[in-house]
Amino acid sequence: MNNPSRRAGKWLTWLTLLAAAGCGPAEGPTADPDAARGESLAESYKDFGEYVVHFSALATDQLASEVARAYDIVRSKNRAMLSIAVLRKVEGTLGKSVTGDISARATNLTGQLKNVELRPITEGDAIYYIAEIPVANGETLIFDVDVTPEGETSRFSFRFKQTFFTT
């Protein structure tokens, strides 16, 4: 029997990994129509030795309605979803998802602070953190992310920038 919630979860896991692999920060003007929607083939992960942190930000209208319902995400061109996943490197694998203390701040170019409340999603062995953020047409958000994997004392910090076009 097919469980819609399980299918949605697998889809969100796949979407998160796909987004992390191919949708990073959009930097500067571009003629790429996908970049105009807040998507780019730029950097989408940071390597911190034993750990790799994957990240993406995309308009929530890009999510399938089934996935949005399963995870209580509002689908809209005026909302962005931030997704962060932390993997411990394991030789011969893509890595092992780990939990941790994950926080993020988002500010626009005028310095306005956006509320970013990350919530953990666990789907099988995959663990990732998501947040929804309101965005305006043409708004650029600068994300400052801090990650401390569970059991570690070192904090990893990075910044990325993403522009969203809502039309």
Side-chain angles (χ1 to χ4, degrees), residues 128-151:
Y128 38 94
Y129 297 81
I130 64 172
E132 291 178 74
I133 305 125
V135 293
N137 186 34
E139 186 169 32
T140 297
L141 294 182
I142 301 165
F143 294 94
D144 290 296
V145 180
D146 293 317
V147 174
T148 304
E150 187 173 337

Side-chain angles (χ1 to χ4, degrees), residues 147-163:
V147 174
T148 304
E150 187 173 337
E152 296 290 333
T153 56
S154 297
R155 180 176 69 171
F156 310 127
S157 300
F158 63 94
R159 171 180 277 190
F160 73 98
K161 183 174 17 173
Q162 181 75 37
T163 301

Side-chain angles (χ1 to χ4, degrees), residues 77-109:
K77 290 180 180 181
N78 295 316
R79 295 187 69 76
M81 181 182 81
L82 172 64
S83 176
I84 300 170
V86 182
L87 300 175
R88 180 188 322 256
K89 292 179 184 175
V90 177
E91 191 172 330
T93 72
L94 295 175
K96 179 183 180 341
S97 287
V98 297
T99 60
D101 181 20
I102 316 294
S103 64
R105 284 181 30 170
T107 53
N108 63 20
L109 296 179

Side-chain angles (χ1 to χ4, degrees), residues 32-45:
D32 181 355
D34 288 335
R37 302 209 30 89
E39 301 172 11
S40 166
L41 295 178
E43 179 181 46
S44 61
Y45 69 92

Side-chain angles (χ1 to χ4, degrees), residues 9-32:
K10 287 183 178 183
W11 198 92
L12 185 57
T13 299
W14 177 83
L15 173 69
T16 301
L17 294 174
L18 179 64
C23 298
E27 303 272 349
T30 178
D32 181 355

